[in-house]
Amino acid sequence: MRRAFSARLSAAFGLSLAAVSPAAAQTLQESLALAYRGNPTLLGEQANQRAVTENSAQARSGWRPTVSVNMDANYQQGPYTSAFALGTFTSNYAEGYVSAKQTLYSFGHVANQVRAADARSRAEGQAVRLTESQVFTSAISAYMDVLRDRYVLDVRVADLEMLVRQVRLITSRYTLGGAPGEQVTRTDVEQAETRRRSAEVALTQARATLAASEANFRAVIGVMPAQLTMPDGLPGLPPSIEQAVRQAIAANPQLAQTREMKSATEADIDTARSQWGPQIQVQGLFGTVGPAAPFRGHEYSEQVSGTVSLVQPLYNGDLYNSQIRQARDKDEQARQNLEQARRAALQDVVTNWRAVENGQQAIQASLAEVQSGETTLKGYQVEYGYGLRSTTDVLYADQNLRAAQVDLAGSRHDTIVAEAKLLASIGRLQARDLLPGTQHYDSEAALHRARTRGWEPLQTPIAALDRAGW
């Protein structure tokens, strides 16, 4: 997929790039690095991924103990009776205690909640990859938009300057007359004037288009574009469409995300089913209790209690069965989403592969057309001076050359953008592929931190027991 004509292409773009010095140039890789570090959409998605991974930590709390400290005091005077007149108290106590509760077995309920939370956390990690590739696609497109529109602006400026000279020459010949072969008519003058006015309109439109492209560049990348350099191509393009398809099946971010969501919905079914099983909990309490008023510490005594409970649901109004049916339907939806994502990934690969191939052919054809157009225009201008070509011939040659130059800019833009979309579809439009020297966001590390926070010694054996049978 590499192009041997990149050197010729750079020469063809010399109009807009000739004044660019290497020190002042802003490369595509530098622009992508700016977008990676500062694009709000990408940074927001990374923050959301960290938030979602906390669900994995929260799900694991079901394997860990809960400990609380409680303090109560009660002082209540009796009703309006004779005893009330004597100051009798009907209730007077204070207590403080520490209670702890630990689930020993949940029939896999917590284990399946953990499976579902981890799968959704991994899916969100794939969402970060998807957002990253979308941001890079937008950044590459914005970069190429500015390059294309600057080149088109230069073409329009050159076109107008040439037509101004041509109008001046034709008007002079019309005014002064000359040899019969060199004479022009009023129609020739009006024809040249019309082309000049059209060139002025095209120049105004080119300036407006460039201003919009530069504003979009700033929105995506975060800075106004400096002097940009034409990239030769993007790294990592597969050598064949068959390999591109295999890479897409293995690493397409959207396909990987839906695959993880399918794993989560499978765990949701088991979570709903596990509610029918028994749950075993142990609870302990240690504290002290005595009179609230007046306080006399020596009258307080210790209280200690321990409870082991087993709860087995028998009937709950069909709630659990409904939740199981609901989970199965959600799983079927996830299965269909997975198939749709697989088809979309293959479609993107084929579409963008063909777009890259067609773009390369269009660039080669446009290069040849520009070179031919330049030769033709120069020849017609010389022959016009000898009366061998008409005004229409010169204007037509100029129009063909400018159209070819604009087509060349558009073909180069479309090819690089198609390459970006192709890399995105196979999961290769990532910071690790495009920015090897930049520190990358690690979604797996974020998930690992969430899974290991708050670990308790009893968690490992209780988790192993809870997973038994699932």
Side-chain angles (χ1 to χ4, degrees):
M1 300 290 289
R2 292 293 181 190
R3 290 160 302 284
F5 49 83
S6 60
R8 288 188 295 151
L9 183 63
S10 298
F13 274 75
L15 255 173
S16 59
L17 302 180
V20 178
S21 65
Q26 181 179 349
T27 65
L28 176 59
Q29 189 177 54
E30 291 169 347
S31 299
L32 294 180
L34 288 172
Y36 185 69
R37 291 193 298 266
N39 185 273
T41 301
L42 179 56
L43 296 179
E45 187 60 37
Q46 291 172 357
N48 184 61
Q49 189 261 342
R50 294 191 296 272
V52 171
T53 59
E54 292 300 328
N55 292 331
S56 294
Q58 294 166 18
R60 284 170 169 76
S61 67
W63 287 328
R64 299 164 184 166
T66 59
V67 181
S68 61
V69 176
N70 299 269
M71 299 185 70
D72 300 311
N74 184 282
Y75 180 92
Q76 182 178 359
Q77 198 170 23
Y80 292 103
T81 62
S82 57
F84 173 75
L86 298 176
T88 302
F89 302 105
T90 59
S91 179
N92 179 22
Y93 74 91
E95 64 178 350
Y97 58 90
V98 177
S99 64
K101 181 187 294 185
Q102 172 69 62
T103 298
L104 298 180
Y105 182 64
S106 70
F107 195 62
H109 188 70
V110 175
N112 290 310
Q113 285 181 324
V114 169
R115 280 176 53 208
D118 286 353
R120 288 188 170 90
S121 296
R122 291 192 298 270
E124 187 58 31
Q126 297 299 330
V128 171
R129 292 185 60 232
L130 178 60
T131 302
E132 189 174 305
S133 64
Q134 290 171 343
V135 167
F136 281 146
T137 300
S138 298
I140 292 170
S141 179
Y143 189 96
M144 295 304 300
D145 286 350
V146 173
L147 267 178
R148 176 199 60 198
D149 296 339
R150 284 180 176 177
Y151 177 75
V152 170
L153 179 62
D154 288 341
V155 169
R156 298 307 181 194
V157 169
D159 186 31
L160 180 59
E161 291 175 349
M162 194 283 295
L163 289 171
V164 168
R165 292 193 300 270
Q166 191 70 24
V167 167
R168 188 181 299 118
L169 175 61
I170 294 174
T171 303
S172 176
R173 285 192 174 186
Y174 175 72
T175 302
L176 299 177
E182 298 177 359
Q183 291 179 354
V184 297
T185 66
R186 184 64 187 175
T187 301
D188 293 326
V189 175
E190 292 299 330
Q191 188 178 27
E193 285 284 359
T194 299
R195 280 284 293 116
R196 181 186 61 79
R197 285 190 289 268
S198 297
E200 290 176 346
V201 173
L203 177 59
T204 301
Q205 293 174 342
R207 285 172 176 158
T209 302
L210 176 59
S213 296
E214 290 179 340
N216 182 58
F217 185 100
R218 181 173 185 176
V220 175
I221 297 177
V223 298
M224 287 299 292
Q227 296 290 350
L228 307 184
T229 61
M230 176 61 62
D232 292 335
L234 300 180
L237 292 173
S240 66
I241 190 171
E242 292 78 16
Q243 186 170 341
V245 168
R246 289 194 296 270
Q247 291 181 10
I249 295 298
N252 179 275
Q254 190 164 14
L255 180 57
Q257 181 186 18
T258 54
R259 192 178 290 124
E260 293 293 351
M261 290 302 298
K262 179 65 171 62
S263 299
T265 57
E266 291 174 355
D268 288 340
I269 297 175
D270 292 338
T271 300
R273 291 174 52 220
S274 66
Q275 295 179 108
W276 279 117
Q279 292 201 14
I280 302 175
Q281 290 184 339
V282 59
Q283 184 172 1
L285 181 148
F286 174 79
T288 182
V289 61
F295 177 78
R296 289 186 288 269
H298 64 276
E299 296 184 11
Y300 278 72
S301 58
E302 292 182 352
Q303 55 176 343
V304 179
S305 68
T307 304
V308 177
S309 62
L310 185 149
V311 179
Q312 173 61 60
L314 297 178
Y315 179 73
N316 62 355
D318 202 43
L319 173 63
Y320 293 166
N321 290 334
S322 175
Q323 291 175 338
I324 292 172
R325 295 191 298 270
Q326 184 182 54
R328 285 172 175 164
D329 289 336
K330 289 291 185 181
D331 182 63
E332 174 61 20
Q333 181 188 30
R335 188 181 73 83
Q336 298 299 334
N337 290 342
L338 179 58
E339 175 62 19
Q340 179 61 34
R342 188 187 69 83
R343 296 182 184 184
L346 296 181
Q347 179 186 9
D348 288 344
V349 168
V350 174
T351 300
N352 293 310
W353 181 275
R354 298 308 179 196
V356 171
E357 285 186 333
N358 293 337
Q360 293 174 0
Q361 295 172 3
I363 290 174
Q364 291 177 336
S366 295
L367 279 169
E369 189 176 3
V370 167
Q371 293 171 354
S372 176
E374 289 173 345
T375 302
T376 300
L377 178 60
K378 290 177 181 178
Y380 278 18
Q381 287 173 330
V382 172
E383 293 170 359
Y384 178 80
Y386 292 104
L388 300 177
R389 292 290 176 182
S390 67
T391 300
T392 301
D393 292 335
V394 175
L395 296 179
Y396 183 71
D398 173 71
Q399 188 175 19
N400 287 344
L401 172 60
R402 306 311 171 186
Q405 290 172 331
V406 171
D407 288 344
L408 175 60
S411 297
R412 181 55 169 163
H413 167 278
D414 295 345
T415 302
I416 294 295
V417 172
E419 288 182 2
K421 292 179 179 179
L422 176 60
L423 290 173
S425 67
I426 64 175
R428 295 294 302 274
L429 198 69
Q430 305 293 310
R432 65 173 180 268
D433 304 309
L434 303 176
L435 306 172
T438 302
Q439 184 176 1
H440 309 144
Y441 179 79
D442 191 345
S443 59
E444 289 294 331
L447 176 57
H448 177 74
R449 288 192 297 269
R451 294 175 61 177
T452 55
R453 284 196 185 105
W455 181 84
E456 298 289 340
L458 289 176
Q459 177 180 320
T460 300
I462 290 176
L465 177 63
D466 201 34
R467 292 190 178 101
W470 290 94

